[in-house]
């Protein structure tokens, strides 16, 4: 019985070891087997290109090819698991469908309208007769109304003329009485009495002395009112402008102070010794990552030129610092006399996941780097 139990445990242990070995093997394969990439491109009037990524002897592969249309495929163990193909650019449109002639429509409509017109001629004649009768009656009524109004106006004109003559006689008598009593009224009351007479135009007439005194007073008061309004508007606008200038100056002062504070903080942040060490570490690790991912094989030929020779010269000056990277691998042919762009380029490279993870872990091991990440995340929140 004991031997049977030991045999079962032995088998279970062997199975567990096999499973752990498979898991460890898969982890090592993922970490150590590099991901390889290949990029090819050509341009000779029309662009064409190919980009391919493979892992573990094409066990998993992804390809994107462009040849007048983009075709993307993903394969696992040689079986296609994903595919996408973008359609080509629209060429000639399909021939438009024939539309019915407009003449046939107009003819059919014309026939229908002619048939309907014959039926409605009688109705239109009766409506015109009714309209003429109603217009004649309205004209008669308007003539009667205008005659009555003219009679009333003539009666009113006679009555008004008689009333005007009576008013003139009465006003002359009142003016004489008021001229004799004007001195006494000035002594006793100290108030100037004016006589208002309703004349033909509905205007007020005053005595000679009062007319001369009231006109300059009214004109001066009118001018003073205008002056006060203009003065108030000018003062208001000047105050508004000054207030805006003060607000703009205050906002500019606050922005300048904020920029100055940020500048001081940035200078202090960069001068910190721990931060300087972290920046040096980041620079070293970034350059190491670029060297690891940078293509190992590069070959090709590129012929380029522009209408302006100075532009071609500027492009050469921009490329010259990287001459050590492509020397002997990529041939560049500048043309200074015409506009040209043609050639083909091919590059290959690889990247190991273990190396990328080690570079990232080397950064995370730095305490000050973790501190900066936490500070940055808290600031974003």
């Amino acid at each position: 019985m004991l031997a049977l139990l030991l045999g079962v445990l032995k088998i279970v242990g062997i199975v567990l070891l096999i499973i752990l070995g498979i898991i460890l093997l898969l982890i090592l394969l993922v970490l150590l087997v590099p991901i390889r990439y290949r990029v090819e491109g050509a341009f000779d009037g029309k662009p064409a290109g190919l980009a391919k990524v493979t892992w573990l002897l094409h066990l998993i592969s992804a390809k994107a090819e462009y040849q007048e249309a983009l075709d993307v495929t993903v394969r696992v163990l040689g079986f296609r698991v994903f595919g996408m193909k973008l359609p080509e650019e629209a060429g000639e449109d399909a021939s438009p469908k024939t539309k019915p002639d407009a003449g046939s429509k107009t003819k059919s409509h014309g026939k229908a309208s002619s048939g309907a017109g014959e039926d409605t001629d009688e109705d239109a004649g009766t409506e015109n007769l009714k309209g003429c009768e109603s217009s004649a009656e309205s004209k008669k009524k308007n003539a009667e109304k205008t005659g009555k109004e003219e009679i009333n106006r003539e009666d009113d004109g006679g009555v008004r003329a008689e009333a005007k003559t009576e008013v003139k006689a009465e006003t002359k008598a009142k003016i004489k009485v008021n001229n004799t009593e004007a001195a006494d009224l000035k002594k006793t009351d100290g108030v100037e009495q004016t006589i208002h007479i309703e004349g033909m135009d509905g205007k007020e007439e005053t005595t000679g002395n009062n007319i001369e005194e009231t006109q300059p007073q009214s004109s001066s008061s009118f001018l003073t009112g205008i002056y006060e309004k203009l003065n108030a508007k000018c003062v208001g606008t000047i105050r508004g402008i000054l207030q805006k200038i003060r607000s703009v100056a205050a906002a500019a002062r606050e922005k300048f102070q904020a920029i100055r504070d940020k500048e001081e903080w940035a200078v202090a942040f960069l001068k910190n010794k721990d931060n300087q060490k972290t920046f040096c570490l980041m620079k070293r690790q970034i350059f190491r990552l670029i060297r690891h991912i940078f293509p190992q094989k590069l070959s090709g030929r590129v012929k380029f030129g522009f209408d302006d020779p100075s532009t071609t010269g500027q492009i050469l000056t921009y490329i010259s610092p990287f001459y050590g990277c492509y020397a002997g691998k990529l041939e560049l042919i500048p043309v200074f006399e015409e506009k040209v762009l043609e050639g083909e380029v091919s590059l290959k490279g690889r990247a190991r996941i273990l190396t990328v993870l080690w570079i990232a872990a080397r950064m995370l091991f730095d305490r000050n780097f973790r501190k900066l990440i936490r500070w940055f995340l808290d600031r974003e929140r």
Side-chain angles (χ1 to χ4, degrees):
M1 186 70 183
L2 182 62
L4 182 60
L5 181 61
L6 291 175
V8 172
L9 291 175
K10 182 179 178 180
I11 294 169
V12 172
I14 292 170
V15 172
L16 290 175
L17 287 174
I18 292 171
I19 293 171
L20 290 175
I22 293 171
I23 293 171
L24 182 62
L25 179 62
L26 291 175
I27 291 171
L28 291 175
L29 288 174
V30 170
L31 294 176
L32 297 177
V33 175
I35 298 171
R36 301 183 181 276
Y37 64 88
R38 179 166 62 95
V39 178
E40 295 178 357
F43 185 84
D44 189 5
K46 291 183 179 181
L50 172 68
K52 192 173 184 179
V53 179
T54 60
W55 179 75
L56 193 61
L57 301 174
H58 295 266
L59 181 68
I60 300 173
S61 63
K63 183 177 71 172
E65 185 176 4
Y66 181 80
Q67 189 74 30
E68 296 182 356
L70 182 62
D71 187 7
V72 180
T73 57
V74 178
R75 296 179 182 273
V76 177
L77 295 174
F79 297 100
R80 183 173 177 175
V81 296
F82 176 79
M84 180 182 68
K85 186 173 183 180
L86 296 179
E88 298 181 1
E89 295 181 357
E92 296 180 356
D93 297 334
S95 59
K97 296 181 180 179
T98 58
K99 297 182 179 179
D101 296 334
S104 61
K105 291 184 178 180
T106 53
K107 289 177 182 179
S108 61
H109 285 296
K111 290 178 181 180
S113 60
S114 63
E118 291 176 359
D119 295 334
T120 56
D121 287 338
E122 295 178 359
D123 296 334
T126 54
E127 289 178 358
N128 291 327
L129 292 173
K130 290 180 181 179
C132 293
E133 291 176 358
S134 60
S135 61
E137 291 177 358
S138 61
K139 288 179 181 179
K140 288 180 181 179
K141 290 180 180 179
N142 291 327
E144 291 176 357
K145 289 180 181 179
T146 52
K148 290 179 181 179
E149 289 177 357
E150 289 176 356
I151 292 166
N152 292 327
R153 287 176 185 173
E154 290 177 357
D155 295 336
D156 293 336
V159 174
R160 286 178 183 176
E162 293 177 357
K164 288 176 184 177
T165 54
E166 292 177 357
V167 169
K168 287 181 180 179
E170 290 178 358
T171 52
K172 288 179 181 180
K174 288 180 181 180
I175 289 167
K176 291 179 181 180
V177 173
N178 287 319
N179 286 328
T180 56
E181 294 177 354
D184 296 333
L185 291 171
K186 287 180 182 179
K187 290 179 182 178
T188 56
D189 297 334
V191 180
E192 294 181 357
Q193 185 178 1
T194 60
I195 301 169
H196 300 280
I197 301 169
E198 295 180 357
M200 294 291 290
D201 299 332
K203 297 181 181 179
E204 294 181 358
E205 295 181 1
T206 58
T207 58
N209 294 325
N210 290 330
I211 290 168
E212 293 177 356
E213 292 177 359
T214 54
Q215 286 179 354
Q217 289 178 359
S218 62
S219 61
S220 62
S221 63
F222 179 71
L223 292 174
T224 53
I226 293 172
Y227 175 75
E228 289 176 356
K229 289 180 180 179
L230 292 174
N231 191 11
K233 286 183 179 180
C234 292
V235 171
T237 52
I238 291 168
R239 287 179 180 175
I241 292 168
L242 292 175
Q243 188 66 26
K244 287 182 180 179
I245 292 170
R246 289 173 184 172
S247 62
V248 171
R253 195 182 300 112
E254 290 177 358
K255 288 183 179 179
F256 179 75
Q257 187 64 32
I259 293 169
R260 190 173 181 180
D261 295 339
K262 288 182 179 179
E263 184 180 359
E264 292 176 356
W265 176 84
V267 171
F269 181 78
L270 294 174
K271 286 184 177 180
N272 191 355
K273 292 182 179 179
D274 295 333
N275 293 335
Q276 289 179 355
K277 292 179 181 179
T278 303
F279 294 150
C280 291
L281 178 63
M282 289 175 63
K283 184 174 72 173
R284 288 198 304 270
Q285 297 302 320
I286 289 170
F287 277 109
R288 183 177 296 176
L289 180 64
I290 291 171
R291 284 197 303 269
H292 179 68
I293 298 175
F294 195 78
Q296 295 177 343
K297 294 182 179 180
L298 177 64
S299 62
R301 182 186 65 86
V302 178
K303 184 178 181 181
F304 66 96
F306 298 91
D307 294 333
D308 189 4
S310 62
T311 306
T312 306
Q314 289 177 0
I315 297 296
L316 287 175
T317 55
Y318 296 150
I319 297 172
S320 59
F322 305 98
Y323 179 76
C325 298
Y326 65 85
K329 301 176 182 179
L330 183 65
E331 183 182 2
L332 297 178
I333 304 171
V335 178
F336 295 93
E337 297 177 355
E338 58 180 350
K339 185 177 181 181
V340 179
L341 180 60
E342 59 182 23
E344 58 276 350
V345 178
S346 176
L347 55 91
K348 295 179 182 180
R350 55 71 181 139
R352 287 190 181 90
I353 296 176
L354 181 61
T355 305
V356 176
L357 291 176
W358 174 249
I359 292 170
R362 183 67 185 84
M363 292 296 302
L364 291 174
F365 289 157
D366 186 65
R367 182 180 299 175
N368 191 46
F369 182 75
R370 295 197 303 270
K371 183 179 177 181
L372 291 174
I373 289 175
R374 286 196 298 269
W375 173 80
F376 182 76
L377 294 174
D378 292 337
R379 186 179 179 183
E380 289 295 328
R381 292 176 184 174

